[in-house]
Amino acid sequence: DDYIDIDDTGPEGLKGADGGYAWEEEYKRSWDVIQEDATGSIQSSIMDINDQRKRKRRLRDTAAIRRGIIRHVVVVIDQSENMGTRDILPSRIQASLTLLEHFVNEFFDQNPISQLSIVATKDRLAEKLTDLSGNPMDHIGALRDKTNKDLAGEPSLQNALELGMHALKRAPAHGSREILCMFGSLTTCDPGDIEQTLEALRAAEVRVSMVHLAAEVHIFKRICTETGGTFAVVVDDDNMKDELFENVPPPPVVNAKATSDMIQMGFSIKANGFDVPTPCACHHALSFSGFICPRCKSKVCSLPTDCDVCGLPL
């Protein structure tokens, strides 16, 4: 007679090798990672997780990869209404601006002769907040401006990339050209065909990377992939810092551009003790001290920077 085979082994027959049920084997319970110590505190587990992340960052660059030392980077900040969301406390925009301040300091600490510029996009437009400069205080001052927290409309990735490319056109060929975007919006309102912008990015050899605060967007990831950049989606506050600081070390040098050229560099001497205040070439402000360019003898306020008169990197 026909019969039906019924598994009568009971619940014990459904358990896997680790003692859990079969449907639990592929599901990792994140709360099991945190364990209490003898005093009932979880601080030691949190410290272990942070130490693992630090070790991962230290072991990341152990491979022998040739990297450039002169970089020209444009940072694009999303200032659309989506950045006011509070899924990252206190809000996306406030957390981003605070983290970008630390990023600027760390960037110039590891890339002292590189240059940075900041671009903001909101209300379907893009605006340059700072020009390409090697002075971190200019960029930090722009990030701390209260008007940066005024959010409006939708961002325009195309306008931001076009503005970034225009700023990088004057960058010398011996340095890398990069655009780093920090976005929270899932949409972009562009005036034209973004495919043409992608072709222009590839032709200009501009590397685009993005740290997204919400989710993966196809066109965003495609632009990053086809230009040789990276795309990352933030999981939590700690991961947000890790993903952003992945862009602090210089990217690998492309073999086609791996040329060795002599670069002129000026080592200025600090001059102070002027009898009368003299204007600087960078801000046209009067001061009693500054740094003298060895080529044209003009005065600048701080280092590192480019001489505003002769263009010599100082």
Side-chain angles (χ1 to χ4, degrees), residues 92-213:
R92 288 182 180 179
I93 185 62
Q94 292 180 359
S96 300
L97 294 175
T98 302
L99 199 55
L100 282 172
E101 290 186 25
H102 300 293
F103 173 80
V104 170
N105 288 324
E106 188 71 17
F107 176 84
F108 284 106
D109 183 61
Q110 297 192 26
N111 307 272
I113 57 177
S114 298
Q115 293 186 337
L116 194 73
S117 174
I118 299 178
V119 172
T121 173
K122 63 179 177 180
D123 206 11
R124 298 172 292 178
L125 301 174
E127 177 187 5
K128 183 189 296 183
L129 301 183
T130 59
D131 294 320
L132 276 174
S133 168
N135 187 357
M137 298 310 300
D138 292 343
H139 307 303
I140 293 177
L143 292 172
R144 291 178 178 176
D145 192 351
K146 293 182 179 179
T147 57
N148 290 334
K149 299 179 182 179
D150 297 336
L151 310 178
E154 295 185 13
S156 176
L157 179 62
Q158 184 181 23
N159 285 333
L161 294 177
E162 293 283 353
L163 187 58
M165 273 196 299
H166 184 269
L168 294 173
K169 280 184 178 179
R170 299 182 179 179
H174 57 254
S176 65
R177 301 173 181 178
E178 307 170 46
I179 297 179
L180 173 61
C181 304
M182 201 160 193
F183 257 57
S185 176
L186 297 175
T187 59
T188 173
C189 188
D190 300 325
D193 186 5
I194 201 169
E195 294 289 343
Q196 298 179 359
T197 304
L198 177 57
E199 291 293 334
L201 288 169
R202 285 199 294 255
E205 297 182 342
V206 178
R207 182 177 187 266
V208 181
S209 299
M210 180 178 290
V211 177
H212 207 286
L213 308 183

Side-chain angles (χ1 to χ4, degrees), residues 1 23 26 29 53 55 68 71 90 93 102 120 127 133 166 184 204 228 248 252 265 279 283 296 305-306:
D1 296 336
W23 56 83
E26 297 182 359
R29 297 181 295 181
R53 289 175 174 171
R55 285 194 297 269
R71 306 170 63 189
I93 185 62
H102 300 293
E127 177 187 5
S133 168
H166 184 269
V248 171
M265 187 72 62
H283 302 96
C296 63
T305 186
D306 290 344

Side-chain angles (χ1 to χ4, degrees), residues 54-72:
K54 292 179 181 178
R55 285 194 297 269
K56 181 180 179 181
R57 287 196 296 267
R58 284 196 299 265
L59 296 175
R60 177 190 56 201
D61 298 328
T62 55
I65 300 175
R66 184 175 180 180
R67 300 179 184 273
I69 62 173
I70 300 180
R71 306 170 63 189
H72 303 88

